[in-house]
């Protein structure tokens, strides 16, 4: 029987993360910089952007190269605590 600390993710793998924040000029670039601290090979070409229907929010989907649970946990923590970010999924 697997232990609760076992991961359902096989490492390394490409892992999509959705980041939502208020629409502002620097949001996408700032999120690229945050993600690159945890995945140095990440670039904006691995990101899709989708504005909300009223254009108030921007949803980014970034696909990172996940190498460990700790890497993903640290990335989620940094994204979730960022002042520009409303939701991380």
């Amino acid at each position: 029987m697997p232990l609760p600390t076992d991961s359902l993710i096989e490492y390394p793998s490409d892992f999509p993360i959705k980041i939502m924040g208020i629409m502002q000029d620097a949001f996408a670039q700032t999120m690229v910089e945050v993600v690159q601290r945890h995945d140095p090979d990440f670039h904006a070409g691995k990101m899709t952007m989708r504005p909300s229907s009223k254009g108030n929010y921007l949803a980014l989907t970034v696909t990172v190269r996940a190498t460990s649970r700790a890497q993903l946990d640290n990335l989620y923590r940094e994204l979730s605590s960022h002042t520009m970010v409303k939701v991380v999924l």
Side-chain angles (χ1 to χ4, degrees):
M1 181 172 198
L3 297 172
T5 56
D6 285 355
S7 176
L8 299 175
I9 301 167
E10 289 187 28
Y11 299 101
S13 66
D14 291 335
F15 191 81
I17 299 172
K18 186 165 277 197
I19 309 163
M20 288 175 260
I22 293 175
M23 180 73 78
Q24 51 190 304
D25 289 342
F27 181 64
Q29 182 57 40
T30 301
M31 294 305 108
V32 167
E33 291 165 8
V34 170
V35 172
Q36 284 176 332
R37 285 197 281 274
H38 301 272
D39 177 4
D41 295 329
F42 180 80
H43 57 83
K46 296 180 182 181
M47 176 174 69
T48 60
M49 294 187 270
R50 188 168 166 211
S52 64
S53 58
K54 294 183 181 178
N56 296 327
Y57 294 91
L58 183 61
L60 306 175
T61 301
V62 298
T63 302
V64 298
R65 188 68 177 162
T67 57
S68 70
R69 170 78 183 260
Q71 175 210 27
L72 287 178
D73 287 349
N74 291 333
L75 176 55
Y76 267 94
R77 262 193 293 280
E78 185 171 356
L79 289 169
S80 299
S81 65
H82 199 283
T83 57
M84 296 174 101
V85 174
K86 296 296 180 192
V87 178
V88 180
L89 303 172

